[in-house]
Amino acid sequence: MKAGIFPFKKPGIILFWLLVWQAASMAVHNNIILVGPLEVLSALLRQAGLPDFWKTIGYSFGKISLGFLMAFIAGIFAGGAACRFPIIGDLLSPLMALIKSVPVASFVILALIWAGSENLSVIIGFLVVFPMIYIQTIAGIESTDPHLLEMAKVFQMSELKKFFYLYRPALLPYLAAGSRVALGMSWKSGIAAEVIGVPLHSIGEKPYLAKIYLSTADLFAWTLVIILLSMLFETIFLWLLNLASPGIRRKKREGGSVWNS
């Protein structure tokens, strides 16, 4: 079965693991250590009734999404520039190696010192996503058929037409594959940054408070919210990315996967 945007295709399997989870929580006999899905659902409904619930979701969703989108655009431009001018790729290669090697926690602490907690998730999301999109952009451009490029040179095709008809179809599958990983990483790192920096009215503040008050149900409830928001953003973004390639949409209608990488 081909993997889609949502990893769970059979509701029965989800129900099975929910029952296992509920049975395990009942066997533990300690709701501080483990709570069941019913307690989590109750905690989620209780949180949803609070005045700042949607404000909190909007705050973190906006910040993390902004960081991802900024990194996505910057990664494409930087990758394209590195392919067009090799000296740029040489200059950026140590920076990419540094960003990929330094632990996220170190970046969080540095960003917290330099910029404060308000835009912490934007900065961390950008730093995590940018190298992924940069590398995938270079790989996609370099995968363009050299015979087609030679033909375009012979017929003196403009740079805009070459990008639209040659580079774009080669690049999009790589961007989609990179985005699937980058989207999840942006949410994981962004929320982790918020948990460390604890900006006001952020989702990361809620697990931090749940830890202080030993509220396992609230912790699981907000974790569920994070998962749903991440899946929602991934669905919308990949759908928009799919619209950028009519050829790939046609392939999907003919029975293939949307993105084959």
Side-chain angles (χ1 to χ4, degrees):
M1 180 176 60
K2 295 181 176 65
I5 293 175
F6 294 99
F8 308 114
K9 298 296 184 181
K10 297 182 179 179
I13 295 178
I14 301 176
L15 179 60
F16 168 78
W17 285 111
L18 287 175
L19 292 174
V20 171
W21 179 10
Q22 183 65 39
S25 66
M26 295 173 66
V28 170
H29 296 297
N30 189 336
N31 58 4
I32 295 180
I33 298 176
L34 181 64
V35 295
L38 296 178
E39 290 84 355
V40 173
L41 179 60
S42 176
L44 180 59
L45 293 175
R46 185 177 66 254
Q47 291 288 339
L50 298 177
D52 64 342
F53 178 78
W54 295 106
K55 181 180 179 179
T56 298
I57 288 178
Y59 178 93
S60 292
F61 187 88
K63 295 287 185 179
I64 295 174
S65 300
L66 177 61
F68 174 86
L69 293 174
M70 290 172 57
F72 184 81
I73 296 172
I76 292 176
F77 276 102
C83 289
R84 183 69 177 84
F85 307 103
I87 183 62
I88 294 180
D90 294 337
L91 291 174
L92 289 178
S93 59
L95 181 61
M96 293 299 113
L98 178 66
I99 294 176
K100 290 189 296 181
S101 302
V102 175
V104 174
S106 299
F107 279 131
V108 171
I109 295 172
L110 286 173
L112 194 58
I113 295 173
W114 291 341
S117 62
E118 184 177 354
N119 294 311
L120 191 59
S121 53
V122 178
I123 298 171
I124 298 305
F126 180 92
L127 291 174
V128 169
V129 173
F130 178 72
M132 299 182 188
I133 302 300
Y134 172 81
I135 293 171
Q136 291 296 95
T137 298
I138 293 177
I141 292 176
E142 291 180 345
S143 70
T144 306
D145 191 339
H147 297 93
L148 293 178
L149 293 175
E150 186 66 27
M151 181 186 68
K153 184 178 180 180
V154 170
F155 288 98
Q156 298 182 342
M157 184 180 290
S158 67
E159 292 296 325
L160 182 60
K161 288 185 177 180
K162 281 197 294 185
F163 170 78
F164 192 81
Y165 292 108
L166 302 182
Y167 290 116
R168 182 179 64 108
L171 177 60
L172 282 173
Y174 284 85
L175 287 180
S179 296
R180 287 186 184 278
V181 179
L183 282 162
M185 290 301 299
S186 67
W187 277 90
K188 288 182 180 180
S189 59
I191 296 299
E194 290 182 349
V195 172
I196 296 175
V198 199
L200 293 176
H201 309 300
S202 68
I203 291 179
E205 180 188 23
K206 305 305 179 180
Y208 179 82
L209 294 176
K211 179 202 72 170
I212 293 177
Y213 296 111
L214 299 177
S215 179
T216 309
D218 288 340
L219 175 60
F220 274 87
W222 280 106
T223 302
L224 179 60
V225 170
I226 295 167
I227 293 171
L228 293 177
L229 289 175
S230 177
M231 293 172 66
L232 174 63
F233 185 65
E234 179 180 350
T235 302
I236 295 172
F237 183 81
L238 292 179
W239 174 73
L240 292 174
L241 199 59
N242 182 34
L243 293 179
S245 181
I248 295 179
R249 295 202 305 273
R250 183 170 57 253
K251 184 174 183 180
K252 180 183 178 183
R253 288 196 300 268
E254 291 171 356
S257 178
V258 180
W259 303 110
N260 291 326
S261 57

